Amino acid sequence: MQLDQAVNEIEGFLLWEAEKDRARTRAEEFCAGLPWLTDTQRREVELRYCQDQHQTSRAYLERIATRSAALRTEYEGVYRALRRRLITAFLAGTVAVAALAALAAVGMSTR
């Protein structure tokens, strides 16, 4: 289980770094449309744009993670209920077959 967790953490890190790169690219594109900015102003606007995008992305990812956990809990509950039903049906079928076999054996012995 530790390997899966490590892979998930690495994947999460890489996805977050990609998101940061996209935010930087969008900030640069945004500032390219504002040619009157000085270099200092451009850096400040890019920085604020990236910070805002990071906050938005983090909030979005937290909502997704919360919903994901809720769905997982719900689906695990449904899976357990279905498994119980399947086991109950299997056991009932086994009991029915055993009862029929016993009745058949009793019927054969009385002849």
Side-chain angles (χ1 to χ4, degrees):
M1 198 62 152
Q2 289 178 344
L3 179 60
D4 289 342
Q5 186 178 1
V7 168
N8 286 340
E9 286 182 21
I10 291 169
E11 182 183 19
F13 173 79
L14 293 174
L15 288 171
W16 185 248
E17 288 301 310
E19 181 59 29
K20 287 171 31 180
D21 286 342
R22 278 191 293 277
R24 259 185 247 108
T25 300
R26 286 191 300 263
E28 291 167 0
E29 291 169 354
F30 178 77
C31 287
L34 306 172
W36 60 85
L37 293 176
T38 65
D39 288 341
T40 302
Q41 290 171 329
R42 182 178 310 282
R43 282 192 300 274
E44 181 66 23
V45 169
E46 286 176 359
L47 175 67
R48 288 177 184 252
Y49 188 101
C50 285
Q51 288 172 340
D52 181 65
Q53 187 61 47
H54 292 160
Q55 291 170 351
T56 301
S57 294
R58 182 172 298 278
Y60 181 69
L61 290 172
E62 287 172 355
R63 283 193 305 273
I64 290 172
T66 300
R67 179 65 179 141
S68 227
L71 285 173
R72 180 183 183 117
T73 300
E74 180 182 340
Y75 291 154
E76 285 174 346
V78 169
Y79 172 77
R80 280 191 300 276
L82 289 173
R83 188 175 62 197
R84 273 193 308 272
R85 282 184 181 169
L86 180 62
I87 290 170
T88 301
F90 175 75
L91 292 175
T94 302
V95 167
V97 168
L100 288 174
L103 286 176
V106 168
M108 292 287 241
S109 67
T110 59
R111 287 183 183 196

